[in-house]
Amino acid sequence: MTTSQAHIAVSCLFGALGVSLWAYATHAGQPSAAIAAQMLLIHAAAILALAAARKAGLLHLRLSMYLVSSLAFGVALFAGDLATRAIAGSRLFPMAGPLGGAVVIASWIGLVFTPFLMKRD
């Protein structure tokens, strides 16, 4: 499996989990589960688009590969911590949410530079 294929699979998993979590949040009245669902759904589309942009040669191949993986990891930590708190009443581990959020922000900032690192025509 290529990295692009793995990112597409993660994107689809985030989409499925986001819809499921949103349904749970709606029926259980859990606002933090709804926030986790939004984070998953927004980033499902973003990761899919980033994988396509990388495959089309619009992003620096190696750097964007690592940054999209980092983005997915951060989203999983952030949303996973919120979902665990909503469903189980406990955290993944101390500071999982803030760490995940910081990784997401850092990944997006890193991705800003990937188009500019491409070879010019």
Side-chain angles (χ1 to χ4, degrees):
M1 175 181 282
T2 68
T3 305
S4 291
Q5 290 169 324
H7 287 157
I8 291 168
V10 166
S11 174
C12 294
L13 180 62
F14 279 5
L17 289 171
V19 171
S20 300
L21 198 52
W22 202 311
Y24 171 78
T26 301
H27 294 289
Q30 289 286 342
S32 44
I35 294 167
Q38 290 172 351
M39 188 74 155
L40 287 165
L41 289 170
I42 289 166
H43 285 88
I47 291 169
L48 190 61
L50 288 164
R54 184 177 61 241
K55 193 73 174 169
L58 300 173
L59 303 174
H60 186 274
L61 185 65
R62 187 169 305 226
L63 182 57
S64 65
M65 177 182 68
Y66 291 120
L67 288 169
V68 173
S69 295
S70 171
L71 179 68
F73 176 73
V75 169
L77 267 182
F78 183 85
D81 189 53
L82 286 175
T84 302
R85 281 194 278 168
I87 295 168
S90 64
R91 304 189 86 141
L92 281 178
F93 57 86
M95 299 301 290
L99 175 62
V103 170
V104 169
I105 292 166
S107 299
W108 276 118
I109 290 170
L111 283 161
V112 165
F113 299 101
T114 60
F116 303 109
L117 298 173
M118 301 296 300
K119 293 180 182 173
R120 307 238 185 243
D121 290 336

Coordinates of all heavy atoms in Angstrom, one line a residue, residues 21 30-37 39 76-88 90-92 96-97:
L21 N -20.1 9.3 15.0 CA -19.9 10.1 16.2 C -20.9 11.3 16.2 O -21.5 11.6 17.3 CB -18.5 10.7 16.3 CG -18.0 11.1 17.6 CD1 -18.3 10.1 18.7 CD2 -16.5 11.5 17.6
Q30 N -24.3 15.1 23.4 CA -22.9 15.3 23.9 C -22.2 16.3 23.0 O -21.8 16.0 21.9 CB -22.2 14.0 23.8 CG -22.6 13.0 24.8 CD -22.0 13.3 26.2 OE1 -21.1 14.1 26.3 NE2 -22.6 12.8 27.2
P31 N -22.1 17.6 23.4 CA -21.5 18.6 22.6 C -20.0 18.3 22.2 O -19.5 18.6 21.1 CB -21.5 19.9 23.4 CG -22.4 19.6 24.6 CD -22.6 18.1 24.6
S32 N -19.2 17.7 23.1 CA -17.8 17.4 22.8 C -17.7 16.3 21.8 O -16.8 16.3 20.9 CB -17.0 17.1 24.0 OG -17.7 16.2 24.9
A33 N -18.7 15.4 21.7 CA -18.7 14.4 20.7 C -19.0 15.0 19.3 O -18.4 14.6 18.3 CB -19.7 13.3 21.0
A34 N -19.8 16.1 19.3 CA -20.1 16.8 18.1 C -18.9 17.5 17.6 O -18.7 17.5 16.3 CB -21.3 17.7 18.3
I35 N -18.1 18.1 18.5 CA -16.9 18.8 18.1 C -15.9 17.8 17.5 O -15.3 18.0 16.4 CB -16.3 19.5 19.2 CG1 -17.2 20.7 19.7 CG2 -14.9 20.0 18.9 CD1 -16.8 21.3 21.0
A36 N -15.8 16.6 18.1 CA -14.9 15.6 17.6 C -15.4 15.1 16.2 O -14.6 14.9 15.3 CB -14.9 14.4 18.5
A37 N -16.7 15.0 16.0 CA -17.2 14.6 14.7 C -16.9 15.6 13.6 O -16.5 15.3 12.5 CB -18.8 14.4 14.8
M39 N -14.4 17.7 13.6 CA -13.0 17.7 13.3 C -12.7 16.5 12.4 O -11.9 16.6 11.5 CB -12.2 17.5 14.7 CG -10.8 17.6 14.6 SD -10.3 19.3 14.3 CE -8.6 19.2 15.0
A76 N -6.6 12.4 15.0 CA -7.0 11.2 15.8 C -6.8 11.4 17.3 O -7.7 11.0 18.0 CB -6.2 10.0 15.3
L77 N -5.7 12.0 17.7 CA -5.5 12.3 19.1 C -6.6 13.3 19.6 O -7.2 13.0 20.7 CB -4.2 12.9 19.3 CG -3.0 12.0 19.7 CD1 -1.8 12.9 19.9 CD2 -3.3 11.2 20.8
F78 N -6.8 14.4 18.9 CA -7.7 15.4 19.3 C -9.2 14.9 19.4 O -9.8 14.9 20.4 CB -7.7 16.6 18.4 CG -8.5 17.8 18.8 CD1 -8.1 18.7 19.8 CD2 -9.8 17.9 18.3 CE1 -8.9 19.8 20.2 CE2 -10.6 19.0 18.7 CZ -10.2 19.9 19.6
A79 N -9.6 14.3 18.3 CA -11.0 13.8 18.2 C -11.2 12.6 19.1 O -12.2 12.4 19.8 CB -11.4 13.5 16.8
G80 N -10.1 11.8 19.2 CA -10.2 10.6 20.1 C -10.3 10.9 21.5 O -11.1 10.3 22.3
D81 N -9.6 12.0 21.9 CA -9.7 12.4 23.3 C -11.1 13.0 23.6 O -11.7 12.6 24.6 CB -8.6 13.5 23.6 CG -8.6 13.8 25.1 OD1 -8.4 12.9 25.9 OD2 -8.6 15.0 25.5
L82 N -11.6 13.8 22.7 CA -13.0 14.3 22.9 C -14.0 13.2 22.9 O -14.9 13.2 23.8 CB -13.3 15.4 21.9 CG -12.6 16.7 22.0 CD1 -13.0 17.6 20.8 CD2 -13.0 17.4 23.2
A83 N -13.9 12.3 22.0 CA -14.9 11.2 21.9 C -14.8 10.3 23.2 O -15.9 9.9 23.7 CB -14.7 10.4 20.7
T84 N -13.6 10.0 23.6 CA -13.5 9.2 24.8 C -14.1 9.9 26.0 O -14.7 9.2 26.8 CB -12.0 8.9 25.0 OG1 -11.5 8.2 23.9 CG2 -11.8 7.9 26.2
R85 N -13.9 11.2 26.1 CA -14.5 11.9 27.3 C -16.0 11.9 27.2 O -16.7 11.7 28.2 CB -14.0 13.3 27.3 CG -12.6 13.4 27.9 CD -12.2 14.8 28.2 NE -11.7 15.5 27.1 CZ -11.6 16.8 27.0 NH1 -11.9 17.6 28.0 NH2 -11.1 17.4 25.9
A86 N -16.5 12.0 26.0 CA -18.0 12.0 25.8 C -18.6 10.7 26.1 O -19.7 10.6 26.7 CB -18.4 12.5 24.4
I87 N -17.9 9.6 25.6 CA -18.5 8.3 25.7 C -18.2 7.6 27.0 O -19.0 7.0 27.6 CB -18.1 7.4 24.4 CG1 -18.7 8.1 23.2 CG2 -18.5 6.0 24.6 CD1 -18.1 7.5 21.9
A88 N -16.9 7.6 27.3 CA -16.4 6.8 28.5 C -16.3 7.7 29.8 O -16.1 7.1 30.8 CB -15.1 6.1 28.2
S90 N -13.7 9.5 30.4 CA -12.3 9.7 30.8 C -11.5 10.1 29.5 O -12.0 10.1 28.4 CB -11.7 8.3 31.3 OG -11.8 7.4 30.3
R91 N -10.3 10.5 29.8 CA -9.4 11.0 28.7 C -8.6 9.8 28.1 O -8.4 8.8 28.8 CB -8.4 12.0 29.2 CG -9.1 13.2 29.9 CD -8.2 14.2 30.1 NE -8.1 15.0 28.9 CZ -8.0 16.3 28.9 NH1 -7.9 17.0 30.0 NH2 -8.0 17.0 27.8
L92 N -8.1 10.0 26.9 CA -7.2 9.0 26.3 C -5.9 8.9 27.2 O -5.5 7.9 27.6 CB -6.7 9.4 24.9 CG -7.7 9.1 23.8 CD1 -7.1 9.7 22.5 CD2 -8.0 7.7 23.7
A96 N -3.8 14.7 25.9 CA -4.0 14.2 24.5 C -4.7 15.2 23.6 O -4.2 15.3 22.5 CB -4.8 12.9 24.6
G97 N -5.7 15.8 24.1 CA -6.4 16.8 23.2 C -5.6 18.0 22.8 O -5.4 18.3 21.6

